[in-house]
Amino acid sequence: MADEPAKKRDWAVAFLGRICLIGWICAIFYEAFDFLKPVRQICLFFGPWACVIALLHSLALWTIRRQGIFLIFILIALPPTIHFGYVLRNIAVEKKWIDPTEFGGPAVTAPKETEPKEEAPDRSLSR
């Protein structure tokens, strides 16, 4: 019995756990460190990728292995993925790469320039 090797941990659970942790940390740091632009840029670079990788791998492993732990990882990866989706959509709308009405957002209208109105003479004084 001493010749039996120790049972190895599943690589997928450790991988998904770390990727989900990276996604959550990036999402929290992106919102928390508004005053540090380099931290926000790093989080915006790594966060969406970590979230998408975690979500896709957990979906694939859940359909392949049919284990409940991967459903839990899907639920863990969804909130930061949705958050970064909103952030990236807002950045694209701000830089005018996309039309905000394409995704069901409100139409952004440019502020109307008001022309100076000519003041009409007061007729009550002329009678």
Side-chain angles (χ1 to χ4, degrees):
M1 300 250 175
D3 294 337
E4 293 180 13
K7 189 175 180 181
K8 290 185 179 180
R9 286 185 55 187
D10 189 16
W11 67 270
V13 173
F15 172 73
L16 285 175
R18 290 176 183 144
I19 290 292
C20 285
L21 184 66
I22 290 170
W24 271 98
I25 287 174
C26 286
I28 291 169
F29 279 7
Y30 180 81
E31 291 298 327
F33 292 111
D34 190 28
F35 54 90
L36 291 174
K37 191 173 181 179
V39 172
R40 288 188 75 160
Q41 289 174 343
I42 290 170
C43 290
L44 195 57
F45 181 73
F46 288 111
W49 287 109
C51 292
V52 168
I53 289 170
L55 191 62
L56 291 177
H57 277 81
S58 58
L59 278 170
L61 288 169
W62 183 54
T63 57
I64 292 170
R65 294 189 184 180
R66 297 282 182 198
Q67 293 177 349
I69 187 71
F70 299 116
L71 178 62
I72 293 171
F73 278 121
I74 291 171
L75 296 175
I76 290 172
L78 267 178
T81 306
I82 293 169
H83 171 263
F84 280 119
Y86 284 141
V87 168
L88 292 175
R89 186 195 69 185
N90 290 339
I91 289 172
V93 167
E94 185 178 295
K95 297 203 181 241
K96 297 182 181 171
W97 292 338
I98 60 171
D99 184 27
T101 57
E102 285 181 29
F103 299 103
V108 178
T109 57
K112 296 180 181 178
E113 293 182 21
T114 57
E115 297 178 11
K117 296 181 180 178
E118 295 179 19
E119 292 190 25
D122 192 12
R123 294 186 183 179
S124 63
L125 298 176
S126 63
R127 288 188 186 179

